[in-house]
Amino acid sequence: MSAPSELLVLDRVSLHFGGLAAITDLSLSVREGEILAVIGPNGAGKTSMLNLVTRVFDPSGGRILFRGRDISRLPRAAIASLGIARTFQNIELFEAASVLDNLLLGRHRFGAGAWWQQLLRTPGLVAIEEAHRARVEEVIEFLDLSPWRRASVATLPYGVRKVVELGRALCAEPALLFLDEPASGLNPEETRDLGFWIEDIRSELGITVVMIEHDMGLVGAVADRVICMAQGRVLAQGSAAEVQADPEVVAAYLGT
Amino acid sequence: MRFDYLTSYRQDFALLRHPADRAAYGMLAAALLAAPMVVSAYGLGELSYVLILCIAAMGLMVLTGFTGQVSLGHASFVAIGAYGHAYALSQGVPFILSLPLAAGLAALAGLAVGVPAIRVSGLYLAMVTLAFAIVVEQLAGMWRAVTGGYMGLAVPPPELFGLPLGGATGFYYACLAVTAMVLIGLVNLMRSGIGRAFRGVRDSEAAAHALGIRVRAVRIAAFGLSAGITGLAGGLMAHHLGYLTPDAFSLVLSLDLVLMVVIGGLGSLRGAILGAVLISMLPNAVAALKAILPDSLARQSGLELFVSGLILVLFVLFEPQGLNGRWLKLRLLVETFPLYRRDTFRRQKSYMRSERNR
Ligand SMILES: Nc1ncnc2c1ncn2[C@@H]1O[C@H](COP(=O)(O)OP(=O)(O)OP(=O)(O)O)[C@@H](O)[C@H]1O
Ligand SMILES: [Mg+2]
């Protein structure tokens, strides 16, 4: 039912936590190849929307269509294999593992050989590992992570962790990438780098990007389209300038 | 000071990349192989026992160190392996089949514990595994037809293709071979996809799910694998004991295993081995200590328990990475001398994680 250019469609989706309605009748769509920014005051339901798409929560109602197929009842681990990747607002890295292992885990969905191949480390398995490693190295190069390759995540500064998390999502070679507040906690220089990377992710890697972000500088610089959410609904959408000028949006931000 | 210059990923995959490492591990292997020529029969028996504990500790390490699931009941899998193996032997199953069979039985039991265990973690998981161990210990006491109950069960001496392994040397080599196979197999698994998935589940479930890891399946599989390896140790333990009674597999053994993996350093197979070696030397060390302590102290009961508790506390306080962490630091110190920085291993402050945003 969705037009071919629509990669992801949320169709009157809602989510309740007990009595609290985090999301009510939310409808929006993500177009193939765009960079979409989702903004909104704290508690607007932005992260909840992402958690619905990635099946962390069961929606209380509505449909979520990815490439026209309803994914709202799939098991949580099946989302990655559709080509949907994400980062987390509060960084969810594998702390005690090295950067390399974190990135290699990003490739989990492509398989890592049968258990007996792993047990015996057969030549076939070494070839699989080599192929994964080569793809991981491409991401390391793309994001300038080579100084940290072997470092344990627990020893990394905050800004680098955010980049590692982005890298891990890229290793999954997604078609659709969700970034939950990628610039929060970054200094202006790191934020500028991030902006360039996001543009390259779309133009060079051909990945559709949805980023939840508060930094309007970054949003204005990279987003093709902006959706503003408040209280679990879409308040306004359009270009960054249009959305920022919308009186309802201004009111929603002032109201919090 | 030494720098690595790698020209292929394959070089990077090599476990022992440096000649010095190869020499050190080669010497260790040679010493272990040559031990029967110099060590007495009694000494070999003790060495075999250390190797068995190494296997059991590696089994627990897979679970606790790599997937972060606590078990206070691993003695039960040792028991299942031991009784299973002894029973199968008494029914005429050959040693070479009976040992993997016993490990398989323990693995099945592990899967059975793992299924309810995925719903709980931390303290509750510790309780579930503890309860299971108590049930198994009771069962071993009651089910006389198979286990001989509290009267005990004599274990037939091991034989390999008709050759007796009953002598200290033969059994020592059998233990050494099994230890080596388990170690190599686990090293391979833990540096491949399965090991990465284990660590992923341990460090962040949310991220593991998002990357397509079936978290529950991984958790249960880890229980099965861990129990299977521990059961394998149990099978060998049966021969070491010679005569099985339920009290050989009590809570004390479970706690010793936990001590080994924690003191050794969670998340490292080398740690499991270092921990097993250290803890198995403890009784002897305490005996030596008693000789030099004043009589009033030396005659206190529970001195051993006190010493192991003290060691645990000291490690948790001063070296949370365990013996393995200490080892890595020493090695780095030697390799990078004189450029070693004390802070290389310091963790950055950890950042708040809130539940709701998962
Ligand atoms: N697991 C949960 N259980 C109960 N309530 C929740 C849960 N997750 C989110 N909520 C509630 O849902 C609402 C939307 O939260 P959400 O995290 O989606 O907001 P957000 O737009 O991402 O905000 P922020 O900008 O602070 O990240 C909030 O009122 C929040 O308290
Ligand atoms: Mg949020």
Side-chain angles (χ1 to χ4, degrees), chain A residues 17 20 22 41-48 57 89 181 214, chain B residues 356-357:
Chain A
F17 294 110
L20 176 88
N42 293 114
K46 307 180 295 292
T47 300
S48 299
F57 301 132
Q89 188 166 348
E181 307 204 4
H214 286 295
Chain B
R356 80 176 164 96
N357 285 300

Side-chain angles (χ1 to χ4, degrees), chain A residues 92 101 118 130 133 150, chain B residues 10 12 194 199 203-204:
Chain A
E92 288 282 348
D101 272 350
Q118 300 189 29
E130 259 179 329
R133 179 66 185 275
R150 285 174 203 292
Chain B
R10 244 165 243 254
D12 199 13
I194 291 175
R199 276 168 281 160
D203 288 356
S204 167

